[in-house]
Amino acid sequence: MNYTTQMDAAKKGIITKEMEVVAKKERMEPDKLRQLVAEGKVVIPANKNHKSLNPEGIGQGLTTKINVNLGISKDCNDIDKELEKVQSAIDMKAEAIMDLSCFGKTETFRRKLIDMSTAMIGTVPMYDAVGFYDRELRNITAEELIGVIEKHAEDGVDFMTIHSGINQETAAVFRRNPRLTNIVSRGGSLIYAWMALNEKENPFYEFFDKILDICEKYDVTLSLGDACRPGSIADSTDPSQIKELMTLGELTKRAWERNVQVMIEGPGHMSLDEIAANMKIEKKLCHGAPFYVLGPIVTDIAPGYDHITSAIGGAIASANGADFLCYVTPAEHLRLPNLQDMKDGIIATKIAAHAGDIAKGIPGAREWDNEMSQARRDLNWKRMFELAINPEKATEYRRESTPEDPNTCTMCGKMCAIRNMNKVLEGKDINILRED
């Protein structure tokens, strides 16, 4: 039986090879996964032209996935350095990489990225439009903006952020409800500016059916972008954000009618007490579609440490139903991340995702922690390093500070609680002052 997309196959009762791979990774029965894909509650971003892809699922009942943002800019346009980051992100088992390149002819970098990446690849075609056509934003036509989407699809991009929800109605709500930080989404601000400069409707909303034609042809997953995501905790859960989310829910149903997979993007900056409610609001308004969040960043005062502010929010978001976390690095709000920034962002976000998975009861999540606890009880340092989310750093810390007793660390020495409890329970003397 023929099918056009993963969702089309799922509705027809077909278990694709991608579904089989994902089901095995997730410890889920393939037919259960197929049903979730058919309902739109799980997406498997897998462009037909991305031949090196090792597919992943995002959504209900699955492990929380993380995304790494990369790409060249006008100030930092060294493709080789970005490709080094790509390889490192793949080695660190990031499930997704987004190419956010926004300078010059980006096709070379994008094609190399897709060719080498086993991780799913996302883009924001709006970022590429000015460089693609070498023309100022206001002079690019609606048809040309749609053309960039088609080009990215042809190249093999698995999911695309398309800011379709910032239509004229949403823009009017934004103008009537002033914000502290206005619109901070790069793609959202570009679309808002295009609409204002040309006095026209958002082409990604007006010509949404044309976008669905492209997505259906190549099986591109739509990541419906949150142009009105809050850029400060003062702006979270405001009329603009909620109005856009309502529009995205309507567009989700239209996409599903065409068998196009959809996930929804969300905040942003948000105080801790609002996160759980926001996860529920998205799932309700967008009919259970997977939720992809940036952070949320829970305080605005920590430039240089926003991988931490983001991980705090990400863990709470994941525990309350977020399915996909976009990493944030220490360089957020400050500069293009370097390689170490990227690594720090990946680790922080993976910790947040795993903490959320424990709370959600995802199969295998708590077992990993139990294995680590067993290794600690046994003072099995080798096994601890094998299980660590970042073995390299754990090994380095141990090597840099060597204890007198190899069964302890330099914090407690022979007063180590685990060492002494093991000995006492075995009927032995703990010998704190003497040699064993």
Side-chain angles (χ1 to χ4, degrees):
M1 190 182 297
N2 293 327
Y3 60 89
T4 56
T5 67
Q6 295 291 322
M7 176 174 264
D8 183 38
K11 288 179 180 178
K12 291 175 176 174
I14 300 170
I15 296 173
T16 67
K17 64 180 186 299
E18 290 83 6
M19 292 178 203
E20 289 175 352
V21 170
V22 172
K24 185 175 181 180
K25 289 180 179 180
E26 301 289 345
R27 307 182 187 186
M28 181 178 283
E29 287 298 319
D31 197 62
K32 180 180 179 181
L33 177 67
R34 180 200 61 76
Q35 184 62 41
L36 290 169
V37 174
E39 294 171 357
K41 294 175 181 176
V42 165
V43 298
I44 301 177
N47 188 308
K48 296 170 184 177
N49 290 342
H50 187 180
K51 305 303 183 184
S52 59
L53 177 68
N54 186 350
E56 298 283 354
I58 301 167
Q60 182 178 307
L62 309 187
T63 54
T64 306
K65 306 304 185 298
I66 76 160
N67 171 69
V68 173
N69 290 337
L70 298 165
I72 55 175
S73 68
K74 186 173 183 179
D75 292 312
C76 301
N77 54 36
D78 189 327
I79 287 179
D80 290 337
K81 281 188 177 180
E82 289 307 295
L83 290 174
E84 182 183 0
K85 292 183 196 174
V86 169
Q87 188 57 58
S88 184
I90 294 169
D91 292 343
M92 294 177 76
K93 296 181 172 55
E95 291 91 2
I97 296 171
M98 286 199 80
D99 174 15
L100 303 189
S101 296
C102 59
F103 172 73
K105 306 298 183 183
T106 59
E107 183 176 0
T108 300
F109 176 70
R110 183 170 59 252
R111 284 190 167 182
K112 286 185 177 180
L113 171 61
I114 292 167
D115 286 345
M116 71 185 288
S117 179
T118 53
M120 51 190 161
I121 300 299
T123 60
V124 187
M126 190 66 198
Y127 294 177
D128 194 24
V130 173
F132 188 83
Y133 292 110
D134 195 20
R135 217 179 311 147
E136 288 297 335
L137 179 66
R138 71 179 303 162
N139 298 321
I140 300 172
T141 68
E143 292 76 13
E144 287 171 333
L145 289 175
I146 302 297
V148 180
I149 294 174
E150 182 145 30
K151 176 58 181 166
H152 284 217
E154 289 174 356
D155 287 345
V157 172
D158 301 298
F159 66 97
M160 294 187 205
T161 296
I162 308 293
H163 297 90
S164 298
I166 179 73
N167 58 10
Q168 290 288 4
E169 285 186 15
T170 307
V173 170
F174 164 73
R175 288 191 292 271
R176 291 197 301 269
N177 297 271
R179 287 176 141 192
L180 182 60
T181 48
N182 296 317
I183 292 176
V184 302
S185 160
R186 192 194 319 175
S189 67
L190 290 171
I191 283 290
Y192 184 91
W194 188 94
M195 291 164 60
L197 291 168
N198 290 285
E199 298 182 349
K200 292 182 178 179
E201 181 57 278
N202 175 0
F204 297 154
Y205 178 79
E206 184 176 3
F207 303 110
F208 191 65
D209 285 331
K210 291 186 177 181
I211 295 172
L212 295 180
D213 289 340
I214 296 167
C215 292
E216 184 180 22
K217 180 179 178 181
Y218 295 95
D219 198 1
V220 173
T221 297
L222 271 179
S223 186
L224 290 175
D226 52 337
C228 294
R229 73 169 180 264
S232 60
I233 61 171
D235 294 337
S236 60
T237 325
D238 75 339
S240 299
Q241 181 192 336
I242 300 304
K243 170 58 180 170
E244 182 180 34
L245 197 58
M246 292 169 65
T247 304
L248 297 184
E250 294 170 357
L251 294 175
T252 296
K253 282 192 170 182
R254 286 174 60 185
W256 286 348
E257 289 171 1
R258 295 285 304 277
N259 296 318
V260 172
Q261 300 184 96
V262 175
M263 53 188 172
I264 308 297
E265 296 187 10
H269 293 233
M270 181 168 288
S271 63
L272 286 170
D273 58 309
E274 295 181 43
I275 295 173
N278 267 261
M279 301 306 106
K280 289 180 173 60
I281 289 170
E282 182 278 339
K283 292 288 184 176
K284 182 70 172 179
L285 293 179
C286 296
H287 322 293
F291 203 15
Y292 174 25
V293 299
L294 178 73
I297 290 173
V298 296
T299 177
D300 301 330
I301 62 158
Y305 299 92
D306 277 326
H307 59 313
I308 297 173
T309 64
S310 172
I312 293 168
I316 296 170
S318 174
N320 285 279
D323 307 289
F324 194 19
L325 304 183
C326 186
Y327 93 149
V328 173
T329 77
E332 184 77 7
H333 304 110
L334 300 172
R335 69 174 189 203
L336 190 81
N338 63 26
L339 181 60
Q340 188 57 52
D341 294 330
M342 185 200 74
K343 290 181 177 181
D344 291 343
I346 290 174
I347 294 299
T349 311
K350 285 175 76 72
I351 292 169
H354 179 66
D357 287 347
I358 293 171
K360 286 188 286 195
I362 297 297
R366 187 174 289 272
E367 285 81 352
W368 185 5
D369 289 70
N370 290 344
E371 284 188 63
M372 175 64 86
S373 297
Q374 178 70 48
R376 284 186 173 141
R377 192 188 76 179
D378 296 342
L379 294 172
N380 185 341
W381 297 95
K382 181 177 182 293
R383 183 61 178 152
M384 283 186 245
F385 299 150
E386 290 172 350
L387 290 166
I389 201 163
N390 185 0
E392 181 181 327
K393 188 163 188 175
T395 303
E396 177 188 347
Y397 271 41
R398 176 74 174 170
R399 185 174 58 248
E400 286 179 349
S401 188
T402 305
E404 179 184 9
D405 183 335
N407 287 323
T408 68
C409 77
T410 54
M411 170 68 80
C412 300
K414 287 188 175 182
M415 289 190 180
C416 170
I418 290 176
R419 169 190 182 271
N420 293 336
M421 285 302 300
N422 287 347
K423 283 180 170 289
V424 167
L425 291 174
E426 292 169 4
K428 298 178 181 177
D429 189 353
I430 60 175
N431 296 341
I432 294 175
L433 299 178
R434 305 183 309 277
E435 293 295 326
D436 286 341

